[in-house]
Amino acid sequence: MLTFLLLAAVQAVPLPAVDGNRLRAGTRCFALSREGQVLGAVRQTVAAATVNGTPVWDIVIHQRLNDGKFDMRDHFVLRRADLSPVSMENQRFGEEHVRVSYAPGKITTIRKGAAPVETAVSGPIWDGNLWGLTFAALPLAGGGHYELPFYQYDKGLGRFVADVVGNETVQTPEGPVEAWVVELDLGRRGKVRYQIGKADHAELGNVAGPFAQTLGGDCSAIGGSGEH
């Protein structure tokens, strides 16, 4: 009975109004560092597109660390209205690692050399590999608390639980920007804090333990015109 009541309480948390139109098209480069030492770069590209008549965001997050010893590219196609996913593809060193397709009530995950895996879902779902831009699409406000169900190809179904814990000024290559600080408690893995611009909802960076992602990295070694 107690388990049922706790589950009912979790399910009763209302979904926030995720609005993908809060995002803006463009490309940003971040430096990824550990205790101040730069490890590599992350390039984030957001482009407007249309799939079967539906406006979508075509998003690529490409990470290249340690002079190419780690190279990972996530490609998302998300409905522009609410960031609900159409598809997601993960590549490692230029080779497809996993592909996820989203359909009403069903998620299909395909890995090379393995049979497709189907996961049943009921209700809205978001992609668990896209963090900062998902939080940027939330109706952020001081003291805000937000919960979103997600699917992640390794972990399965889960839930983002995020809180606005304050605001701060972020130094960017274009100058200082006022940002909301959005925090997630990952339990034994610690906490991660994302900085989301107040004016344009841009992802400005994040901090997780000794690791930090900040605007202004060198993305010259990442990809090319074929990112999409």
Side-chain angles (χ1 to χ4, degrees):
M1 176 62 74
L2 178 59
T3 300
F4 174 79
L5 291 175
L6 289 174
L7 180 60
V10 170
Q11 293 175 333
V13 175
L15 291 175
V18 182
D19 184 356
N21 292 303
R22 293 187 171 104
L23 306 187
R24 297 290 181 268
T27 298
R28 289 174 173 251
C29 184
F30 299 85
L32 182 61
S33 61
R34 186 180 191 276
E35 297 179 343
Q37 180 178 356
V38 175
L39 302 176
V42 181
R43 185 165 71 184
Q44 176 195 93
T45 303
V46 180
T50 303
V51 173
N52 297 326
T54 299
V56 300
W57 287 123
D58 190 300
I59 297 173
V60 173
I61 311 293
H62 196 152
Q63 304 178 53
R64 187 176 187 274
L65 310 176
N66 298 322
D67 294 323
K69 294 177 182 176
F70 177 85
D71 188 302
M72 185 171 75
R73 178 185 184 272
D74 286 334
H75 180 199
F76 306 88
V77 177
L78 313 170
R79 293 175 185 85
R80 218 178 304 170
D82 59 4
L83 286 196
S84 59
V86 176
S87 64
M88 182 270 182
E89 179 191 22
N90 174 269
Q91 291 184 359
R92 310 284 176 92
F93 302 99
E95 298 291 332
E96 182 178 295
H97 176 66
V98 64
R99 181 159 33 102
V100 184
S101 298
Y102 293 84
K106 182 177 70 174
I107 302 169
T108 303
T109 302
I110 300 174
R111 299 174 188 269
K112 186 176 181 179
V117 175
E118 293 187 353
T119 302
V121 293
S122 59
I125 197 81
W126 283 265
D127 194 286
N129 273 77
L130 188 68
W131 291 42
L133 290 175
T134 299
F135 307 146
L138 294 171
L140 300 177
H145 176 83
Y146 314 91
E147 299 191 21
L148 283 178
F150 68 72
Y151 173 80
Q152 200 276 336
Y153 57 78
D154 280 330
K155 300 176 183 177
L157 298 174
R159 199 170 188 87
F160 288 126
V161 179
D163 294 280
V164 174
V165 296
N167 56 85
E168 61 188 32
T169 302
V170 179
Q171 298 298 326
T172 76
E174 293 78 31
V177 175
E178 293 301 311
W180 294 115
V181 179
V182 181
E183 182 179 89
L184 287 86
D185 190 339
L186 305 180
R188 287 179 295 177
R189 292 186 293 154
K191 297 180 180 180
V192 56
R193 288 189 169 190
Y194 279 81
Q195 300 154 324
I196 306 296
K198 289 186 176 183
D200 60 1
H201 288 260
E203 179 182 351
L204 302 176
N206 63 72
V207 177
F211 296 95
Q213 187 169 300
T214 54
L215 281 170
D218 179 4
C219 287
S220 59
I222 296 179
S225 60
E227 272 293 296
H228 291 77

